[in-house]
Each structure stands twice: as structure tokens, then as C-alpha cells.
Amino acid sequence: MVSTKELIKMARKWNKIAAIGRKRITSPRSNNPMMANADNSNKSSVVGKGYFVAYTMDKKRFFIPLAFLNNSIFQALLKMSEEEFGLSSNRPLTCLCDSVIMSYIVLLVRRIS
């Protein structure tokens, strides 16, 4: 898991980035079922084109757009996961955060994209 100090530091950075756009964080409305719910609980094992699957420490599955990989927040999150778990092709991608933090990250990245 990510230490408390690192989480506070990352949250401050994300809040600064989010403040650049709008003053209030709002949930995006979309007809696309993969984008509508950040913690999509769809039982399908097939991911739509342009998305990848990431799991959180509490075993929630997220469908993340590939475009988010260019974002420094996701790059830092993936780097921390690589340091903790290493690179392996025989297990799913697991991020070092819980589903609440991942939902917040997805929301912020959507706002600044």
C-alpha cells in the first residue's frame, strides 16, 4: 500500500491540477457503459477496445482508457505498482490503492483530459 505521506502529497498535487480547470469536481455523465461507472462491476471478462483493466488492493476492477497512460498521475501509480509487485505477464495489473482512491484518480484525470 501507499504510505500516508505519499497519499497526502499525491492528493495535494491532484487537487492543484484539478483546480486549474473548474472550481468544483463533478461526475461526468456518459452513455458509454465503460465510462459511466469508474468501478464498473460488469461480469464480462472482455474489455472494450481502447481500455485496459486494473485491479485495486481491495480487488475492485476498473476499466481505464488507454489515453490515461499519458497522464503523470497514472504513470506514478503504475511505477509504484511495478516497484511493489514487479513486472509479470501471468497476473493482472494491481494498483497500490483502494477503490475509493482509484475512483478519485479516474475522476481527476477525466477532468484534466
Side-chain angles (χ1 to χ4, degrees):
M1 292 289 293
V2 179
S3 72
T4 306
K5 286 183 179 182
E6 289 177 15
L7 281 176
I8 292 171
K9 185 178 177 182
M10 289 172 66
R12 286 182 181 149
K13 180 179 177 181
W14 298 334
N15 281 329
K16 287 178 185 177
I17 293 170
I20 293 170
R22 290 181 264 171
K23 297 294 181 188
R24 206 171 82 173
I25 296 177
T26 59
S27 176
R29 290 183 175 45
S30 174
N31 292 334
N32 185 346
M34 293 225 185
M35 292 294 284
N37 295 327
D39 60 345
N40 198 346
S41 61
N42 188 355
K43 300 296 183 211
S44 172
S45 62
V46 178
V47 179
K49 187 175 181 178
Y51 293 87
F52 70 96
V53 175
Y55 289 87
T56 58
M57 295 300 288
D58 55 354
K59 306 296 184 210
K60 295 278 185 163
R61 180 173 55 181
F62 286 81
F63 297 109
I64 311 293
L66 290 175
F68 285 11
L69 291 175
N70 290 332
N71 189 286
S72 61
I73 296 170
F74 267 99
Q75 290 173 358
L77 188 62
L78 293 174
K79 184 175 176 126
M80 288 188 297
S81 295
E82 178 187 357
E83 290 171 359
E84 180 70 23
F85 301 116
L87 293 176
S88 176
S89 61
N90 61 355
R91 66 173 185 264
L93 175 66
T94 304
C95 296
L96 286 174
C97 60
D98 62 2
S99 59
V100 174
I101 293 173
M102 181 62 93
S103 296
Y104 184 62
I105 292 170
V106 169
L107 180 70
L108 287 174
V109 173
R110 280 187 190 150
R111 283 196 53 222
I112 61 176
S113 295

